[in-house]
Amino acid sequence: MSAPSLSRGRKDPAPVNPFLPAAPPPEPVQEAMPVDELLGEDLAATGPARPLGIQAPVGASLPRTFAGPEARTYMVGLHGGAGVTTLTQLLGEQVAVDAGTKVPLGGTPKVLLVARTHAAGLAAVQRAGQVWAAGQLSDVELLGLVLVDDGPRIGKAQLSACRQVMQILPRTWRIGWVESWRTQTTPEISAAPLRVRRTVNQLRAIGAPRTVNSTTNEGNPS
């Protein structure tokens, strides 16, 4: 009596035609960008493009410092610990300059204000908005404000306060909380969610030095 065949019940793989192209690899899953609770589907909120000419409270001002000509964008914190150093690292030294907490004087520098979303940070934004609305920063090209989350979650009262200050300045961006940055000496943009990565890319594009294409008219010899 012959031994049973070991191949009984087992399906052989389908033959591969070497003359046909290989099947394409599966498409990568597209990462969806969630709707932001402050900005919706947008990356930035838009406010008044120019100062409204509103009188600032007595004594309202922002600290200033003289600075040389600079094509890059100054990142100015409205309070200590605003996140200026982190943002400057994310945008890169070709785009951004860490200006600490003082608005530069000299020329017409490009400036991005930076503040945290806690109560002290939003109060600082309110004061800065009053100074700008009164025309006291007319020598500055104010690009807008970057709000940096001060924790992994923002309460309803904070969200309401954020919405109020977002109407003060020309544009407002938000950098959400990235837990891994707490343990990194230099923040890695690859570790951030899609919305944060796209926001940083937009800030890089807006803050980048302008390139001027000049043409020389040498004229025709007579």
Side-chain angles (χ1 to χ4, degrees):
M1 185 174 180
S2 60
S5 174
L6 297 177
S7 62
R8 183 177 299 171
R10 185 178 62 187
K11 293 183 178 180
D12 294 329
V16 177
N17 189 335
F19 299 102
L20 293 178
E27 294 185 2
V29 178
Q30 295 293 328
E31 182 181 356
M33 189 172 74
V35 176
D36 187 81
E37 52 198 344
L38 283 175
L39 300 171
E41 296 182 351
D42 298 325
L43 292 179
T46 303
R50 298 177 181 83
L52 301 177
I54 301 172
Q55 185 173 359
V58 176
S61 64
L62 290 177
R64 308 293 300 268
T65 186
F66 285 99
E70 178 59 70
R72 296 172 295 175
T73 296
Y74 287 96
M75 312 297 292
V76 179
L78 294 178
H79 55 87
V84 168
T85 300
T86 297
L87 273 175
T88 303
Q89 291 173 332
L90 288 170
L91 268 60
E93 61 181 9
Q94 293 81 16
V95 173
V97 179
D98 187 339
T101 57
K102 294 183 178 180
V103 178
L105 277 167
T108 309
K110 293 191 299 182
V111 170
L112 269 171
L113 302 177
V114 185
R116 292 280 181 177
T117 54
H118 50 49
L122 298 179
V125 174
Q126 189 79 33
R127 291 191 296 271
Q130 292 170 341
V131 170
W132 178 76
Q136 295 184 24
L137 298 177
S138 58
D139 59 325
V140 166
E141 182 183 349
L142 183 60
L143 301 179
L145 166 73
V146 182
L147 284 176
V148 182
D149 282 15
D150 67 307
R153 288 181 298 276
I154 294 184
K156 291 183 178 180
Q158 276 181 286
L159 289 173
S160 177
C162 286
R163 292 188 182 98
Q164 291 179 7
V165 301
M166 285 165 57
Q167 302 174 18
I168 298 175
L169 298 167
R171 277 176 292 188
T172 302
W173 293 267
R174 179 188 182 187
I175 297 294
W177 182 262
V178 182
E179 181 66 27
S180 61
W181 287 353
R182 300 179 67 193
T183 58
Q184 296 171 356
T185 54
T186 301
E188 297 179 5
I189 189 61
S190 60
L194 177 60
R195 173 173 284 276
V196 173
R197 300 200 305 270
R198 287 188 175 175
T199 299
V200 169
N201 286 337
Q202 189 174 94
L203 290 172
R204 284 174 179 164
I206 291 171
R210 298 183 184 89
T211 56
V212 179
N213 295 324
S214 59
T215 57
T216 303
N217 184 10
E218 297 178 353
N220 295 322
S222 56

